[in-house]
Amino acid sequence: MSTSTSLPVSAVALDVHPLLSERWSTRAFDPDHVLEAETAGRLLEAARWSPSASNTQPWRFAVALRGTPEHDVLFGTLMGFNQAWAGNASALVLVAAERVTPEGKTLRWADLDAGQAVAHLTVQAAAEGLVVHTLGGIEVDAIRAAYEIPDGVEPLVVVAVGRQGDLETLDETVRARELTRARRPLSELLLPLRGASA
């Protein structure tokens, strides 16, 4: 377990790999860090090898490195609160899911599989010494206007990727969200059989 005072980490109930237990969805990114193209490629490769139902691989991505026109466009689709901090991330990654194939088949599991791909990207990023924060606050219509998104494909989230920055650079409201990390106990997450005794 990390004991760094710059990145608080809560204890977990059971031992799991540090890449998972020490993962942190930071909002404090190092504005000087540059994400190399090769590193970005490894993150996407990790996502590409994620499992998917019937090997349908419904995830779709668009990568925007900070300082590029592509980044300006994708950053502009973030909702206001997210724009207050996500601009310092080294890259933004748009994640979409093919919910309906060109043949008209509905992929009920597409969002889950895209989420698994993001999880693989997140773990690879942790192995590279990077941090990731997934943002749901996006303007979907603006994304559709900016990107050539086929019918049946739905934009889901934007993932901010970079190196951990200084928490003190965040404004007070944003920084307060960095200082707690809590998870519900497993007892609240397990679904009982209908009619089973408590």
Side-chain angles (χ1 to χ4, degrees):
M1 279 284 188
S2 169
T3 56
S4 169
T5 57
S6 64
L7 188 62
V9 176
S10 300
V12 294
L14 299 171
D15 287 338
V16 297
H17 197 284
L19 290 179
L20 301 174
S21 63
E22 297 183 10
R23 180 206 58 77
W24 191 265
S25 295
T26 190
R27 294 179 181 85
F29 287 93
D30 179 354
D32 297 321
H33 177 259
V34 174
L35 185 66
E36 300 293 339
E38 183 176 344
T39 305
R42 286 194 298 270
L43 300 183
L44 292 179
E45 190 70 3
R48 188 172 76 91
W49 283 101
S50 174
S52 64
S54 300
N55 199 29
T56 46
Q57 304 172 50
W59 43 75
R60 303 292 184 269
F61 305 106
V63 180
L65 301 178
R66 192 184 61 237
T68 65
E70 293 83 1
H71 183 274
D72 294 341
V73 171
L74 189 52
F75 179 78
T77 70
L78 304 182
M79 291 181 177
F81 173 75
N82 291 327
Q83 287 191 349
W85 56 268
N88 285 337
S90 306
L92 299 174
V93 180
L94 170 64
V95 182
E98 183 184 51
R99 290 176 171 171
V100 181
T101 69
E103 297 74 33
K105 180 181 179 181
T106 298
L107 303 182
R108 185 178 58 81
W109 54 82
D111 290 9
L112 171 64
D113 285 351
Q116 289 200 91
V118 172
H120 274 57
L121 183 153
T122 299
V123 173
Q124 181 66 34
E128 303 268 357
L130 301 173
V131 286
V132 166
H133 190 114
T134 301
L135 305 91
I138 59 175
E139 298 286 355
V140 173
D141 289 343
I143 289 173
R144 288 193 175 279
Y147 290 87
E148 295 183 6
I149 299 178
D151 292 341
V153 174
E154 181 68 18
L156 298 179
V157 297
V158 167
V159 178
V161 181
R163 188 167 63 191
Q164 177 68 42
D166 185 352
L167 298 182
E168 295 301 316
T169 62
L170 299 174
D171 69 42
E172 185 175 348
T173 301
V174 178
R175 187 168 62 248
R177 297 191 178 197
E178 294 288 300
L179 301 179
T180 58
R181 186 187 192 210
R183 287 293 183 271
R184 295 179 180 181
L186 280 175
S187 59
E188 292 183 9
L189 305 179
L190 301 177
L191 299 173
L193 285 172
R194 189 180 300 277
S197 58

